[in-house]
Amino acid sequence: MSKGTKYLLVSLPTSISPSNDHDEALTALRSGVTTDFGTVTPFPIPEFKIGTLDALVQQADELAKLETSCEAVVAKVGDSLKAILEGDESKISQQKTVNDKPVDQYLRSFTWNKVKYRADKPLSELIDTLQKEVVSIDNDVKQKYNQYNQVKTNLTTLQRKQTGNLASKSLTAIVPPSLLIRDSDYLETHLIAVPSQQTSSFPKIYETISPWVVPRSAQRIDADDEFTLYAVTTFKKYSQEFVHKCREQKWIPRDFKYKEGGREAEEKEVEKVAKEEKKLWGEALRLGRTGWGEAVMAWVHVLALRVFVETVLRYGLPLAFVCGLVKTTPKLAKKARGSLDQSYSYLAGNAFGRDKKGRITKDDSSTSADMQAAGHMGDGGDYSAYVCYDFEIN
């Protein structure tokens, strides 16, 4: 998959060739694009069961909305892959395949998937199948990614407790149980993380910030670059006031309860969550890879249906058309369209004219409004003389 690639799906009646031959019409399409602006490969589309004209007009509208949904799902699954692979574009591009093929190869060798989307089914059933599939892909990938993200967040929190500073990290491996008063009805030990710049003043004032602080009870336990951890004893009756006054001093009271075997339990919890995170990472990656490929496949099949329905509406019956995939770039796409306009503007009847120099001119806005109301406007809101849809898959 290469960025900076744009595709056009173009359908023309075989009557563009004098013999009305399919292959000659494809050659004419290639000549209309010219190799200066893009390359053309056949894009075979089966003949589907056609209902009433009203049904076709409604299906054209449904397919336009469904294509927008497909494009959005492909983008969302792509964002999930990007997050899972931490933005590594090389690894991301390796995951973005369709039927184990690079996107360009899949498009240029496209055949309708008759197993997943039976061509003998009515158009309404095919549209319904594709709608349900796209919703299912979106939900499955989103659910797995959210599950992975939750566990990843939990692991990050646990690891931060192991590696953070004394104001946030776990104290299980730091605080000796002998320093804690645990069985007294009257006394309580508080653990206070004091910012480094206040460590010189702390011993001088901690006894006076609230009533009934046990004199000379402060014991230095540990220190890092940002904080020093002290144990201070107070009477339980005044514990809440002491904690409140500590916060006013910008000291950080640490909530800690000693638990036998707590250190080992924390280590096992980190190990357990790390294993779960690794497992879910693999599952999210696999589901993201298959989901992205299936979403692109659904999108391309929706595009094929859009071309077919619009071809019937535009050129009528009996069906005799050729469809080609034009590979170009965003910059050259407009020139490719312009070249096709020059060659096939006559298909639009009065919607196109020519100025004195022979250049294509489009009819007035009222004609465009009529065309848009009839469903014959391109994706960009411009009427074209032929069926054409452009798209980019990134």
Side-chain angles (χ1 to χ4, degrees):
M1 182 181 62
S2 59
K3 289 190 175 181
T5 300
K6 190 164 190 171
Y7 297 98
L8 310 177
L9 267 182
V10 179
S11 168
L12 291 165
T14 53
S15 59
I16 61 171
S17 70
S19 64
N20 210 37
D21 179 73
H22 180 277
D23 291 339
E24 285 188 16
L26 183 63
T27 301
L29 171 56
R30 287 193 173 106
S31 299
V33 174
T34 79
T35 54
D36 292 334
F37 305 137
T39 57
V40 180
T41 53
F43 193 88
I45 298 177
E47 288 195 21
F48 301 99
K49 289 184 177 180
I50 301 169
T52 64
L53 178 61
D54 287 345
L56 283 172
V57 172
Q58 181 181 346
Q59 287 158 358
D61 184 54
E62 290 173 356
L63 285 165
K65 294 174 182 176
L66 181 53
E67 192 206 335
T68 300
S69 298
C70 289
E71 185 175 3
V73 170
V74 169
K76 284 192 282 186
V77 177
D79 288 342
S80 296
L81 281 172
K82 185 175 182 179
I84 292 166
L85 294 170
E86 299 179 335
D88 189 322
E89 290 296 337
S90 175
K91 291 180 180 177
I92 293 168
S93 63
Q94 290 174 13
Q95 303 300 319
K96 289 185 173 181
T97 59
V98 187
N99 275 356
D100 296 323
K101 298 176 183 177
V103 172
D104 185 66
Q105 184 182 341
Y106 170 74
L107 289 170
R108 289 160 72 83
S109 60
F110 175 80
T111 55
W112 184 268
N113 190 329
K114 295 179 181 178
V115 176
K116 291 186 75 173
Y117 318 110
R118 287 176 51 183
D120 60 343
K121 293 287 186 182
L123 284 171
S124 58
E125 285 191 31
L126 289 172
I127 294 170
D128 185 58
T129 298
L130 284 158
Q131 283 175 332
K132 289 177 179 176
E133 182 180 11
V134 170
V135 170
S136 177
I137 292 168
D138 187 24
N139 289 339
D140 289 347
V141 173
K142 189 191 314 180
Q143 183 179 3
K144 182 60 68 175
Y145 176 70
N146 288 343
Q147 187 182 359
Y148 160 70
N149 217 28
Q150 181 62 52
V151 173
K152 182 183 178 183
T153 301
N154 293 345
L155 179 61
T156 301
T157 301
L158 289 171
Q159 290 174 334
R160 191 180 294 121
K161 287 182 178 180
Q162 302 293 316
T163 59
N165 59 41
L166 287 167
S168 59
K169 73 188 297 183
S170 170
L171 301 179
T172 304
I174 297 172
V175 178
S178 58
L179 284 179
L180 303 175
I181 299 173
R182 289 179 283 164
D183 301 321
S184 172
D185 292 334
Y186 303 102
L187 299 177
E188 185 174 8
T189 304
H190 299 275
L191 301 176
I192 310 298
V194 180
S196 298
Q197 61 269 28
Q198 297 187 50
T199 51
S200 58
S201 61
F202 175 80
K204 301 173 185 177
I205 63 174
Y206 78 91
E207 296 178 4
T208 61
I209 64 171
S210 77
W212 296 96
V213 177
V214 176
R216 293 184 293 280
S217 63
Q219 297 185 62
R220 181 183 180 279
I221 301 173
D222 200 2
D224 58 27
D225 293 339
E226 298 175 69
F227 294 91
T228 299
L229 185 68
Y230 289 93
V232 177
T233 303
T234 70
F235 278 76
K236 283 186 176 180
K237 183 178 180 180
Y238 295 95
S239 288
Q240 287 189 349
E241 184 177 350
F242 176 74
V243 168
H244 176 69
K245 293 295 184 181
C246 284
R247 291 196 175 103
E248 286 185 352
Q249 296 290 331
K250 308 300 182 186
W251 306 338
I252 301 175
R254 295 298 312 276
D255 188 16
F256 176 75
K257 300 292 183 184
Y258 175 75
K259 184 178 179 181
E260 193 72 37
R263 180 176 181 178
E264 292 77 9
E266 282 187 0
E267 290 173 351
K268 286 182 180 178
E269 180 67 12
V270 171
E271 185 178 343
K272 174 188 170 185
V273 176
K275 285 182 179 178
E276 187 179 2
E277 188 265 353
K278 185 176 181 181
K279 173 175 168 285
L280 285 172
W281 180 88
E283 291 176 0
L285 179 61
R286 284 190 294 274
L287 193 58
R289 178 177 63 239
T290 56
W292 191 87
E294 288 174 357
V296 170
M297 185 190 299
W299 183 8
V300 175
H301 280 74
V302 168
L303 278 164
L305 286 177
R306 285 197 79 184
V307 169
F308 177 81
V309 170
E310 182 66 17
T311 295
V312 177
L313 291 172
R314 190 75 72 94
Y315 307 140
L317 298 173
L319 278 174
F321 70 100
V322 62
C323 183
L325 177 77
V326 182
K327 181 183 179 182
T328 182
T329 66
K331 287 184 178 179
L332 290 177
K334 190 172 182 180
K335 293 182 178 179
R337 292 286 294 263
S339 180
L340 287 167
D341 287 343
Q342 289 286 340
S343 299
Y344 303 114
S345 61
Y346 66 87
L347 294 172
N350 294 329
F352 279 62
R354 293 180 183 268
D355 61 17
K356 293 180 181 179
K357 295 183 179 179
R359 294 174 300 195
I360 295 294
T361 59
K362 298 184 180 180
D363 207 349
D364 60 26
S365 58
S366 61
T367 302
S368 294
D370 292 339
M371 293 293 182
Q372 188 165 18
H376 298 316
M377 299 296 281
D379 290 334
D382 291 329
Y383 174 72
S384 61
Y386 45 87
V387 177
C388 182
Y389 294 108
D390 58 71
F391 62 99
E392 297 177 64
I393 301 176
N394 296 316

